[in-house]
Amino acid sequence: MIPMRPKNILLSLILTLGLLTPALRADTAIDTNTLATLAVQDHGRKKPFTTFAQEELLTMAGTSKLPRSSVSGSNAAPLSAEQVMLDLWLKPEGWDQRPLIMVTFRALKQKLGLPLETDRKLFTYDELIRNPAFNALLDQTQKVRQAGDADKLTSLQKEAEHLGERLRLFQDCVNGAKETIVPHPSEPNGTWLPIQNLGTVGSSTWPPVEQKERYYVSSDSRAQAAGNAFTVWAEAYRNGDIAKFNQATPELVQALSSLSPTVYPTAGSLQFEHTYMQVHPFRKAWIVYFLAILVLLFTAIWQRTAGYRLTWLLVLAGLGLEAYGFFCRIIISGRPPVTDLYETVIWVSFVAMVIAVILESVYRKRHFFYAGIPASILTLIIADSQPTILDASINPLTAVLRNNMWLTIHVLTIVSSYAAFVLTAALGHFALVLSLWGKRYAAAQDDVQYFIYRAMQIGVLLLATGTILGGVWANYSWGRFWGWDPKETWALITLLCYLALLHGRLAGWWRGYGLAIGSVVCFLSVLMSWYGVNFILGQNGRSLHSYGLSTGGLSYATGFAAFEVVFVIFVLMWNRKRLATITS
Amino acid sequence: MWTAIHILGSLNLAVILLITIAGAIAFATVMESKFDTPVAAYYIYDAVWFDFWLLALGLNLFCAAFTRWPWQRKHVGFVATHAGIITLLIGAVIGKTFGFEAFVTLDKTKGPENRLFTKQNILTVETANGARWQMPINLQVHPPTQKRPLILPIEGSANRLVVDRVSESLAPDDTLVASADLAAPGGIALRFLNAGMSQDVPANFTMTDEGRTFDFFGMAKVNLVDQLPEDQPIALPPAAAPAPAAPRNDTPFRETQVVFAGSPPILDTDSDVPSGYSFKILAAKSMQDLKIEAADPDGHVRTWPLHELETKWASMNGADDPIHFRVAKFWPDFAMKNGAPVSLSDKPDHPAVLVQVTGPSRLLPPAPAQPAAAPPPMPKGLVMRVALAKEPGKIVYELEREGKIEARGVAAEGDTIRLGWSKWVAKVQAVVPHAELHREVKEFAGKVTPMMAGSLRTGIHAHLVASDGASGPAEWIPGGTARELFSGRDFLVRVGFGQKVIPLAFNISLEDFKVPRDEGTDTPSDFISKVRFDDPATGQVVHDTAHMNSPAMFPGDTWRSLLGWNYKFSQANWDPQNLNQTTLQVLYDPGWPFKWIGSIGICCGIALMFYFMPKRSARERREDDSNAT
């Protein structure tokens, strides 16, 4: 945990000194392209400083841009993540008095006596670290952990721990421990150190943390050069001379890189990642898809052919953007892109669109676009708008997922089947909405019901193959084919649900309309195996598959499930009533 | 006949089975999260009715395939899928019946292993006439209680074995008792007491190899030696009078504290004047987040990350403060094992640290200006030696500090020896001329302290009941041991309790074990065990490597791999504190070929059904739909 009662004396000293706080000069902007070539080792990989800044600010404040209003009350442009993180590192004076640390959990706010308005989610380091209720809560949490009852922690206690981690992150950013920019002298996977460990930087008051480990001796001319370059760079920033700071960045990077040229990542690879972060391909993709669905809707009657062609063009452009995004993530991480919840969500949007495009190219009836494009937009917007639940940062693969091509195929196949079921459910919604008008859209309804079947086939094939491949793979590598692990059991339940749906149709229990209802209902089982197993069942960590998932979003998921149930009941009742009026 | 096949193979039955199985296992996952994995396994996954349900599904698939007889080209996908599922189920049955899953723990520094352990608990019963049999017992779902004991008849007799309790907290309660064997060497039982902290640490010594030493939490060593000079007593220097008023800088001290997260610290200081510093471990989820909170006698409190104190000396008030401290040893999951402190895992569940505190002393040079530059030396450790005295019922002891003998003397049974280790004293509990260690166990009722956690075991409580209802004395049988039970009517059996062991015809040894990490973190990125197999019967020697998701195999040729006639060794467990050791899961599965052939059948069959069927027009589709209704 973080040091609570004994305030970190040096830290508070620095923060309250407030000696040099010149207003940010807005005329010269930080050159992020150059800043990106400064590498930081963080969360198991080396990344551009710009990525580091965005990810850490996201963790601390739940946003990648800090609204200026929360800082000074003016309406100026928001502070970029780079500005905030550089400030915390090089010019932290006064930041403990500014709202920067996220507290959103309502019960925690209540406990800490913080204002409960939902739009107030940022609080100052100072008000949190001094909060006696928070300290008491952490003490309590600590006692539970010491008693060995970590799985009995309440969600309030867990949230308090997370807040503690955010405060600790703040401290580490301020005292420089987080900004590990000194490369390991020889090993590509060696631990990098903060600049103060270079041994050639600093005075009696700064940096505040004593060096504990050294890679380079102070007499080393390269270490001296790097130390000097850092001093010039940091001084320029402290003095608000951004132009000079921008000029000093390449010199600092050059000096650090020459400490260990083989270990230091190339400027090209760092800028590649920076470009990916700047482009936001997955955000642009949903905007393009949005245009596509608008074009498709507006040309439903007028200019059908031209509109359809334009839609195709826009859809392919959107797919291209997503493909570029996946290409970047694969190159940056050096692994397949389906390891955390965020990546599965964007992968689902991508594959759902790919399947829609393939089937649309076969049937050319617009229906796959009517269903597939909104589904893809929805998943991408979810991924884009919930950065604290769906963490977009690129992290190394956990050990259980390594070394095996079959495992990669297993995961990709399963998640792709979810995509097919997303498309199926979207078509199901489409068919059910059409059914509300009775016979008026009977032909379209017939087509869509058949398309539901086509899409569902793809899903069933992928899910059956993925689940069985998982079994074969597990038998080979873990020693059992099937272990009734919650995640694999739910994959099986999902498969059984869809199989029952298909066999029930064959048995004549229902037809196209029932298939449409079923495609929506069965999707709830997909939701359960995709999300619910880890968040509803998996709290005790009994699943082998519970890697890489963060917390949160449960209310959204249950809300969605409830909406779906209500929607299906509404459709059933509406159609029954209409049938009754027709027959009478 | 055909009617029956049609009913059994009907789609209606299929849909009902699919829905009920889905419902049952969905319920099982909820049960598992609410209760426990074994509970869900007992009531659903491993239950007989569930097997019958799966059998019914198999039958349904089988009959369904036959209702399409004679098969045509269009049935290929359908038959392949259904035959695939049946083959897979057969493979599962074969694997469950003829195969096994077990574990083996290998140590680089130790010899080869040829026995595997399973997770299955078994009872071994051996009667006096040589009959011996084993039976599996399930203790997890319905553990036997006094109200609902497990009663097992003993073959060939009217006696019954009654298991009436299970405990996971059996603590060793070793006592030194007089041996009937007059050749047995002597033994000494000591108790280390710390009145202020209400701590009581028993230590038994015998002349056996493992009975000679006791590690006092890494702070002191206690050894039983053959003899000590009895006639040269040395008096322990008297404890300095407490001098709280003296300025701290003038009070020399070097102090060691073992600090636990849960229980009071164990303290030792060389002057009997405690430094007044106290330390607290602030628990955290990960090792990196562990903190040490230090408080000085004036009430100042400061906190350091644990790793920082491990790498340097720190002081409360910066460089001018003459009192320095550091963490000299750290156990994330502290436990006492075989009389020595160890860490059971790398999870900070029961963290303990050994903190050294030092201040300026007449014996030491003045406080260094740069604490990091020259850490002052610390005491080299404390040693206590004990030996049997010539006179029965007495012992000779010797206390050593930094290679210098501080005290020597004779003590009788019941005496208390002042040690000069802070407030600790040693009480001579028993002196036995011909001793043996009576290894009893008892159920530990109180709160399990970190010091005990490593020594607690699981065991059963059992007794015999004769045909006339006479009940013999009950005994605790800890895992991995056997006890003789009497019925009180001249009937004796030997009952063993433990995990089922599978012997192997070949030997496995660990040649190397490596755990690479993600860069800049402690997160393992892989586990690499280099193993060597040798078969003494054939002289065959095979080297292989098990790493994450890629098992080692023996004998390991392609055909055996495909057919499952192979032992597969995959990474299962590791001890972060002991990288010489790895635990591998061992699988032998003759059902394997059925499983992968069935799997291919299912996948290909579904694909054939969906995508390689003769084309139908939209009209045919609609007709089909209406026919179905």
Side-chain angles (χ1 to χ4, degrees), chain B residues 131-254:
Chain B
R132 183 175 185 274
W133 74 95
Q134 293 189 324
M135 68 190 87
I137 52 169
N138 184 350
L139 300 175
Q140 280 166 314
V141 184
H142 291 302
T145 56
Q146 272 168 326
K147 264 189 193 165
R148 273 188 20 189
L150 182 71
I151 301 172
L152 304 161
I154 292 171
E155 278 172 43
S157 86
N159 294 277
R160 284 160 295 150
L161 175 67
V162 179
V163 179
D164 60 6
R165 251 182 296 163
V166 179
S167 172
E168 287 179 352
S169 52
L170 293 184
D173 183 23
D174 296 352
T175 43
L176 210 57
V177 294
S179 171
D181 179 8
L182 289 181
I188 297 170
L190 295 180
R191 280 180 101 135
F192 292 90
L193 303 166
N194 186 338
M197 307 279 188
S198 63
Q199 279 165 335
D200 178 353
V201 181
N204 294 305
F205 299 89
T206 57
M207 284 295 182
T208 54
D209 282 346
E210 73 270 25
R212 273 175 177 266
T213 59
F214 182 77
D215 189 331
F216 198 73
F217 311 111
M219 289 172 27
K221 282 228 158 34
V222 188
N223 296 320
L224 175 66
V225 295
D226 291 333
Q227 80 185 68
L228 286 170
E230 227 173 289
D231 44 355
Q232 300 160 20
I234 304 171
L236 186 70
R248 205 173 58 212
N249 289 6
D250 297 338
T251 311
F253 70 93
R254 286 172 299 174

Side-chain angles (χ1 to χ4, degrees), chain B residues 469-499:
Chain B
S471 200
E475 286 246 34
W476 278 110
I477 310 176
T481 66
R483 289 274 191 281
E484 282 174 351
L485 296 180
F486 302 87
S487 72
R489 291 279 181 274
D490 282 349
F491 186 76
L492 172 94
V493 287
R494 197 175 158 75
V495 179
F497 167 69
Q499 288 162 313

Side-chain angles (χ1 to χ4, degrees), chain A residues 199-526:
Chain A
T200 52
V201 180
S203 59
S204 55
T205 56
W206 198 94
V209 173
E210 289 167 68
Q211 57 195 40
K212 55 168 185 177
E213 217 181 325
R214 296 264 296 266
Y215 289 149
Y216 306 94
V217 289
S218 324
S219 55
D220 186 337
S221 62
R222 293 170 312 158
Q224 278 170 359
N228 292 339
F230 179 79
T231 311
V232 170
W233 184 73
E235 277 307 310
Y237 191 83
R238 287 179 68 82
N239 296 332
D241 191 347
I242 299 302
K244 192 175 171 201
F245 169 82
N246 285 339
Q247 279 172 12
T249 309
E251 282 155 34
L252 171 65
V253 172
Q254 178 53 41
L256 288 169
S257 160
S258 63
L259 287 172
S260 183
T262 50
V263 170
Y264 209 86
T266 63
S269 69
L270 292 167
Q271 263 161 346
F272 178 80
E273 176 166 350
H274 179 63
T275 311
Y276 163 74
M277 298 291 286
Q278 293 291 100
V279 168
H280 280 294
F282 295 102
R283 180 175 301 163
K284 294 218 165 64
W286 74 251
I287 296 168
V288 172
Y289 289 148
F290 191 69
L291 287 177
I293 193 75
L294 283 184
V295 169
L296 194 68
L297 283 170
F298 279 116
T299 59
I301 302 157
W302 168 81
Q303 287 286 336
R304 273 181 73 88
T305 324
Y308 188 58
R309 280 190 188 144
L310 185 57
T311 308
W312 261 103
L313 217 64
L314 286 167
V315 164
L316 291 178
L319 272 181
L321 277 166
E322 289 201 75
Y324 163 75
F326 281 114
F327 172 74
C328 290
R329 291 187 77 96
I330 293 169
I331 297 290
I332 293 163
S333 62
R335 59 165 171 76
V338 190
T339 55
D340 56 30
L341 198 56
Y342 172 80
E343 287 189 329
T344 61
V345 172
I346 54 176
W347 180 258
V348 159
S349 91
F350 177 65
V351 175
M353 209 59 228
V354 168
I355 296 172
V357 160
I358 292 170
L359 291 174
E360 185 60 36
S361 69
V362 176
Y363 296 101
R364 299 189 164 268
K365 295 232 171 175
R366 291 180 162 230
H367 300 325
F368 284 108
F369 280 167
Y370 280 130
I373 298 175
S376 206
I377 293 173
L378 188 69
T379 43
L380 283 176
I381 287 181
I382 291 171
D384 201 22
S385 63
Q386 298 297 330
T388 50
I389 301 167
L390 301 168
D391 179 6
S393 53
I394 301 171
N395 293 315
L397 206 51
T398 60
V400 281
L401 288 174
R402 294 198 188 194
N403 295 338
N404 198 294
M405 179 192 67
W406 289 106
L407 178 60
T408 309
I409 296 174
H410 154 67
V411 177
L412 284 177
T413 319
I414 294 261
V415 181
S416 302
S417 83
Y418 295 166
F421 291 133
V422 164
L423 182 63
T424 310
L427 286 162
H429 283 91
F430 186 37
L432 292 182
V433 170
L434 289 176
S435 79
L436 296 179
W437 278 274
K439 292 277 172 207
R440 190 166 158 196
Y441 297 111
Q445 229 181 301
D446 267 4
D447 283 332
V448 177
Q449 283 165 2
Y450 177 62
F451 294 159
I452 290 175
Y453 178 66
R454 296 304 282 178
M456 199 179 293
Q457 280 182 322
I458 296 177
V460 167
L461 177 61
L462 288 172
L463 183 58
T465 311
T467 309
I468 287 172
L469 271 182
V472 173
W473 172 78
N475 202 137
Y476 173 81
S477 70
W478 294 342
R480 88 272 191 297
F481 187 89
W482 196 262
W484 298 112
D485 176 281
K487 194 95 177 173
E488 63 193 41
T489 306
W490 269 96
L492 181 66
I493 293 167
T494 307
L495 183 62
L496 292 176
C497 284
Y498 281 99
L499 287 179
L501 186 60
L502 289 176
H503 282 81
R505 176 175 165 275
L506 284 176
W509 291 18
W510 45 71
R511 285 198 281 161
Y513 178 63
L515 207 62
I517 297 273
S519 70
V520 176
V521 175
C522 287
F523 184 71
L524 296 180
S525 72
V526 173

